[in-house]
Structures are given as structure tokens and as C-alpha cells.
Amino acid sequence: RYMPVGLKENKFDFNVSIYPNPVKNKLKIELLSKNIQSIYLSDVLGQVIYQTSPSSREIDMSNFSVGVYFLTL
């Protein structure tokens, strides 16, 4: 038996391209949305290790250790 939970579907229309994956040196970011105010790069512990504005088109990843990172827009 299924019970409706009343969750609303989130629709995000940011038109974002982030590449390459995996990154060797530069992470390229293409944003077509004007709704993004900041870009945060976090490590696997959730600590923000880098922050930039949407006007930045790339992040130099060569100074970071090899690993998994999360990008929050």
C-alpha cells in the first residue's frame, strides 16, 4: 500500500556545464543562469575549501590533493 507524502518536485533550470571529469588541472564551468550567486568547492567532510563568484569560468585544481570534491552552486 502506498501513502502520498506530499513532496513537491523541485525543478532547477540552471543550464550548467562542468568539465572535465576527472579533472587534471583546470575545472571549467559554463553558467547560463543568472540565479547562481556563489560557487563552493567542498571536500568529502563537507568543509568548504574554495569559494568563487559565478563570473569565474574555471577553478585551478592543481593545488588540491587527488580525491573527491563536491561543487555547490
Side-chain angles (χ1 to χ4, degrees):
R1 185 169 183 219
Y2 296 101
M3 300 288 292
V5 293
L7 295 175
K8 191 167 66 168
E9 182 179 333
N10 290 324
K11 291 187 179 185
F12 299 103
D13 189 20
F14 289 137
N15 292 320
V16 176
S17 293
I18 301 167
Y19 59 93
N21 186 11
V23 177
K24 288 190 179 190
N25 294 314
K26 306 269 185 191
L27 178 67
K28 308 281 186 182
I29 303 169
E30 292 180 6
L31 302 172
L32 298 179
S33 174
K34 305 280 189 228
N35 296 330
I36 298 171
Q37 297 180 9
S38 294
I39 298 171
Y40 301 95
L41 184 68
S42 304
D43 62 15
V44 293
L45 300 175
Q47 297 177 325
V48 176
I49 57 172
Y50 184 81
Q51 178 181 354
T52 189
S53 70
S55 62
S56 296
R57 298 294 180 208
E58 61 185 29
I59 298 175
D60 184 0
M61 299 293 291
S62 64
N63 294 323
F64 298 112
S65 301
V66 173
V68 175
Y69 296 93
F70 300 95
L71 203 62
T72 305
L73 308 174

